Amino acid sequence: MKYCTQCGSEYQDGVKQCADCPGSELVDAETMRQRHIPLPGEGDTRKFVRATTADDPFTAEDYARLLQVQHIPVFVRPRRAGTVDVLTTGTLEPWWEIMVGEEYLERATQLLAREKAELDATADDAARAAEEEERETEDTPPPAGTL
Ligand SMILES: [Zn+2]
């Protein structure tokens, strides 16, 4: 199938030109997606797919904000790693899914990868700083009551 890049009408592969839009291009569904042109019937039923996950709500929020700034439709969906009640096991960590409009997945993935790298770099700095601080306070006896 091919689609008109102007009106979105569907055509057989053999057709060279849209009947309604003289001079417009007919392309396949893949190309339509790459150009962010909704296919027939897809316009209003936007599908959301998971772009990445976060281990804490702050990271999730940070990711969501990053994508919003880029005008990418996004929402955060809190999840748990399993269906067992967290109170009875005490081992299950909650996590967060970053959901984006399907047609923005590729762009969102790139942006998130970059953001993640920056966050990791910051975390490394923080870890280094903490280590240095630890070395400085190594000889300090632990506060009473911790033993
Ligand atoms: Zn057309």
Side-chain angles (χ1 to χ4, degrees):
M1 281 300 175
K2 284 182 160 183
Y3 302 87
C4 171
T5 53
Q6 279 189 32
C7 69
S9 293
E10 193 174 290
Y11 286 97
Q12 301 290 336
D13 283 337
V15 180
K16 294 272 184 288
Q17 183 112 72
C18 175
D20 298 324
C21 314
S24 76
E25 211 182 336
L26 298 186
V27 299
D28 59 17
E30 178 70 13
T31 309
M32 289 291 273
R33 282 206 184 87
Q34 282 169 3
R35 297 187 191 180
H36 305 308
I37 306 169
L39 297 177
E42 278 188 356
D44 294 323
T45 54
R46 173 174 280 160
K47 275 174 73 184
F48 280 78
V49 293
R50 189 168 90 189
T52 189
T53 60
D55 297 331
D56 61 79
F58 307 107
T59 307
E61 211 173 278
D62 182 68
Y63 288 165
R65 210 177 308 130
L66 172 86
L67 297 176
Q68 274 162 5
V69 168
Q70 301 291 329
H71 304 290
I72 294 176
V74 58
F75 73 92
V76 175
R77 184 159 72 176
R79 308 303 298 263
R80 290 198 187 283
T83 54
V84 188
D85 184 0
V86 69
L87 292 174
T88 58
T89 65
T91 56
L92 294 178
E93 295 289 335
W95 49 288
W96 285 260
E97 277 181 333
I98 316 300
M99 308 294 291
V100 299
E102 191 179 40
E103 67 271 40
Y104 294 93
L105 179 62
E106 201 180 318
R107 187 160 154 66
T109 305
Q110 285 172 3
L111 288 164
L112 289 167
R114 210 187 311 158
E115 176 74 359
K116 215 167 205 167
E118 271 173 37
L119 286 178
D120 284 351
T122 312
D124 284 351
D125 285 348
R128 258 196 301 278
E131 263 172 41
E132 271 162 34
E133 198 170 312
E134 209 171 292
R135 265 198 300 279
E136 280 167 20
T137 56
E138 226 167 36
D139 299 327
T140 315
T146 57
L147 294 176

